[in-house]
Amino acid sequence: MMTLKSRRILGLIAGMAMMGVAAPSLMAQADAPRGKTPAASQPEKDHKDKDAKPQKDARESNKDGNGTVTIGQTAPAFELKDTEGKTVKLSDFAGKVVVLEWFNPECPYVVKHHGEHKTMVNTYAKYKDKGVVWLAINSGAPGKQGAGLELNAQHKKDWKMEYPILLDESGKVGKAYGSKNTPTMFIIDASGKLAYMGAIDNDNSAKKLGSINYVDQALGQILAKETVSSPVTKAYGCSVKYGGS
Amino acid sequence: MMRTLMVGVASLVFGAAAAVAQEEHAKVRLISETKALMPGKTAWLALHFEIDDKWHLYWNGINDSGFAPRLNPEFPEGYKAGEFLWPAPKRYVQPGDILDHIYENHVTLMFPVEVPGSVAPGERVEFKASPEWLVCHDVCLPGGADVKLTLPVVDQDEGAPASDDAGLFAKARLRLPKPLPKDNVPVVINVAEGKVSIQAVGAAELAYYPGLNGVVYPSLIKEGQRKGDKLVLSFRKGTDGASRLKGVLEVKPQEPGEPMLWQLDVDLESVNKATPGPSDTDTRSRGD
């Protein structure tokens, strides 16, 4: 399986200086919220999300999905608030191609694709004028790494994200999609069906970019009405910081 | 808040004193089992990680998240690092049905290096590497270091004595899985209706750690570990058609003692076909 083999691809990584985990972030421990420390807790925001409808558990029979959702099925509906307090529903975008990006601004893999490289915003920029909608979703529970309205709003600004970040603090939308990593990517086609799920690219290093941007590849194919050549890949990254034990 | 603040201050003081300007949580050394190299012989080197309490590194089998350490060697001409021998990991489950296989406290990732026959006793060989890893607790931090190790070459007759780190290699070997023996096979594997049963008669507890490039296990989070001497795992072929059970079985004995670790690599399509009779006939797996 390509997804498994991709884990074996060894890459020489130049300059292993750790990403911003230098003295400034140690200082940031003292004023908690931005620090990359396990103790960093976010103030809980009153930002209740509407429940997503959980899909039936298709684990046993699913050959073309991630164990929860399947390529070709109707994407689970959701309604969440973004960092500006605006309610966003998947059904708002009926008839459009929608990209979902599972997000946690403090996850090193998200930092790789936003802070160090501009993978996400560049891919969005390439397709936004072709009617593609892009939504970031943060399923981190209150108090967990990367959760919280202000922190996400700040990163949206810092990273020049022109698309909304939706807060899914209950984790219901993340679980309905079977999203386990940040970033995990989904593409929903214009008929509302799942057309791609998995990784953004093919290198699971926290530093190095892959040679194939799967989302770019799949969006190009979907818009050209071609078959998506790699509809399922193995997502990589941090675990989604769901609540619960 | 007070506690956080004090940690911050302590880190700053430590950072200043030791010129360590990064939060680490895992420290790595490049080590050798012997104090010297011998021409034409295999040397065993390793990355040895000391991991902070509550933090972990990742095994290189199937995980829902994380990243297994990479060596990234820059060895001298003629010296090639072999693959890591990965010790058996520990299961780690997080909310959201996230299953990973991890190492805690410390791990020694051994690898062989073939020493060219042409090197002369008296030479000194410098091995360098820039390993990278991901260390996680509630959060994950990417780690990296530049490590090096210089070893002299000695005559084969002279012999290479054990290094101060030899004990770490011995300890690591205790957690390396072994191939199943050809005779008196201690593990019985059966396949029926999309499930594989793995039995080690007399075991108190079994755990299965899924390796790369084998079948897919949709319910491993529930099925991968249990008391008793039998595990039943749901499986399906990989999308590339992979049909092998590839992974590590940990067998905890009923009596106090070290667990056994078996490297499983069995084509599930051939199980139960080797012998005539009903499909649930016991078929001894072969340790290929």
Side-chain angles (χ1 to χ4, degrees):
Chain A
M1 196 188 308
M2 160 188 55
T3 60
L4 297 180
K5 278 184 185 145
S6 69
R7 297 203 146 202
R8 308 200 76 174
I9 295 170
L10 294 177
L12 282 173
I13 304 302
M16 276 309 299
M18 278 186 265
M19 41 184 23
V21 190
S25 78
L26 278 178
M27 299 215 285
Q29 286 185 358
D31 53 12
R34 302 289 308 277
K36 290 183 177 191
T37 89
S41 64
Q42 302 307 324
E44 188 167 343
K45 288 287 168 253
D46 184 23
H47 235 254
K48 296 274 186 291
D49 55 292
K50 294 288 187 297
D51 295 356
K53 286 212 176 65
Q55 292 299 115
K56 72 178 171 61
D57 189 344
R59 274 155 205 269
E60 299 301 326
S61 58
N62 177 358
K63 287 193 176 171
D64 306 306
N66 61 10
T68 303
V69 290
T70 312
I71 291 299
Q73 80 163 66
T74 300
F78 59 80
E79 180 177 334
L80 295 169
K81 282 197 172 163
D82 70 11
T83 52
E84 284 151 20
K86 193 179 151 213
T87 298
V88 175
K89 295 184 225 169
L90 181 60
S91 58
D92 295 341
F93 310 109
K96 292 190 169 174
V97 174
V98 179
V99 177
L100 306 181
E101 171 198 337
W102 253 265
F103 185 78
N104 165 356
E106 295 187 321
C107 162
Y109 293 88
V110 174
V111 173
K112 165 183 162 182
H113 290 297
H114 276 286
E116 297 183 41
H117 303 283
K118 294 279 158 200
T119 320
M120 301 298 181
V121 296
N122 285 347
T123 309
Y124 171 64
K126 182 172 171 182
Y127 290 99
K128 67 175 179 181
D129 293 337
K130 293 170 184 162
V132 172
V133 174
W134 196 295
L135 306 170
I137 301 179
N138 187 333
S139 296
K144 298 268 183 138
Q145 183 203 42
L149 178 72
E150 284 161 20
L151 182 77
N152 283 275
Q154 186 62 45
H155 278 87
K156 174 171 154 52
K157 194 176 155 202
D158 292 349
W159 289 341
K160 300 184 168 56
M161 296 166 69
E162 293 176 14
Y163 50 87
I165 301 172
L166 313 183
L167 302 179
D168 173 38
E169 292 187 338
S170 75
K172 287 205 169 122
V173 177
K175 288 175 185 172
Y177 278 81
S179 181
K180 292 185 176 180
N181 299 110
T182 53
T184 302
M185 310 301 296
F186 294 85
I187 303 176
I188 301 163
D189 69 18
S191 69
K193 299 210 164 31
L194 285 172
Y196 174 78
M197 65 179 77
I200 176 69
D201 71 7
N202 64 339
D203 195 317
N204 68 352
S205 160
K207 306 294 283 186
K208 197 185 168 199
L209 281 184
S211 56
I212 302 170
N213 177 328
Y214 292 123
V215 172
D216 185 7
Q217 177 177 283
L219 283 173
Q221 290 165 336
I222 290 164
L223 295 177
K225 310 229 179 297
E226 292 167 8
T227 306
V228 175
S229 51
S230 300
V232 181
T233 62
K234 174 91 169 76
Y236 68 85
C238 306
S239 54
V240 174
K241 308 304 178 192
Y242 289 113
S245 53
Chain B
M1 187 56 187
M2 197 55 203
R3 195 183 133 266
T4 314
L5 196 66
M6 288 177 66
V7 169
V9 170
S11 300
L12 282 173
V13 171
F14 175 76
V20 174
Q22 58 204 21
E23 207 184 337
E24 282 190 311
H25 300 297
K27 287 198 166 57
V28 68
R29 287 193 297 136
L30 180 62
I31 60 173
S32 170
E33 190 167 26
T34 53
K35 283 182 173 166
L37 306 170
M38 292 186 288
K41 293 283 188 184
T42 302
W44 283 95
L45 305 190
L47 286 182
H48 177 72
F49 290 91
E50 293 289 338
I51 307 162
D52 283 2
D53 199 25
K54 294 181 180 163
W55 291 74
H56 58 261
L57 298 181
Y58 289 84
W59 185 53
N60 83 323
I62 296 176
N63 293 315
D64 281 332
S65 70
F67 170 80
R70 291 179 183 174
L71 177 62
N72 300 327
E74 300 138 37
F75 287 0
E77 185 83 26
Y79 293 84
K80 192 171 171 293
E83 299 284 319
F84 285 140
L85 302 188
W86 297 88
K90 182 184 159 184
R91 278 163 57 99
Y92 181 73
V93 175
Q94 293 177 80
D97 281 356
I98 294 171
L99 172 64
D100 289 313
H101 300 84
I102 62 162
Y103 301 114
E104 294 176 316
N105 304 315
H106 53 80
V107 65
T108 306
L109 301 175
M110 302 169 48
F111 58 94
V113 176
E114 304 303 329
V115 180
S118 56
V119 295
E123 279 184 37
R124 292 178 70 79
V125 182
E126 186 178 58
F127 297 96
K128 289 184 184 172
S130 306
E132 59 171 325
W133 61 88
L134 189 73
V135 62
C136 299
H137 172 31
D138 290 337
V139 305
C140 295
L141 297 173
D146 293 317
V147 292
K148 64 180 179 180
L149 174 70
T150 305
L151 294 169
V153 179
V154 297
D155 206 285
Q156 284 201 22
D157 297 339
E158 192 181 333
S163 75
D164 294 345
D165 292 316
L168 296 173
F169 288 79
K171 213 167 162 186
R173 284 195 178 91
L174 293 176
R175 289 294 295 171
L176 292 183
K178 296 180 178 65
L180 287 172
K182 301 272 189 227
D183 302 313
N184 298 319
V185 185
V187 178
V188 181
I189 293 173
N190 272 290
V191 176
E193 293 169 358
K195 291 180 190 279
V196 55
S197 75
I198 305 172
Q199 189 168 21
V201 175
E205 186 176 347
L206 298 179
Y208 179 73
Y209 312 123
L212 300 173
N213 303 324
V215 295
V216 176
Y217 311 91
S219 305
L220 205 61
I221 199 162
K222 281 181 283 186
E223 299 172 344
Q225 180 166 25
R226 64 174 294 172
K227 304 273 184 211
D229 70 354
K230 194 172 180 180
L231 273 185
V232 179
L233 308 178
S234 309
F235 74 95
R236 58 172 197 260
K237 279 192 184 181
T239 48
D240 62 349
S243 65
R244 300 188 79 86
L245 178 79
K246 292 184 89 152
V248 174
L249 182 71
E250 176 154 16
V251 181
K252 290 184 182 147
Q254 287 177 350
E255 300 76 32
E258 292 297 320
M260 294 299 299
L261 294 157
W262 300 114
Q263 186 80 55
L264 304 185
D265 186 0
V266 178
D267 187 350
L268 296 179
E269 289 193 328
S270 72
V271 172
N272 298 2
K273 284 182 184 157
T275 49
S279 64
D280 58 352
T281 302
D282 277 6
T283 303
R284 298 269 158 172
S285 65
R286 293 216 314 269
D288 47 359

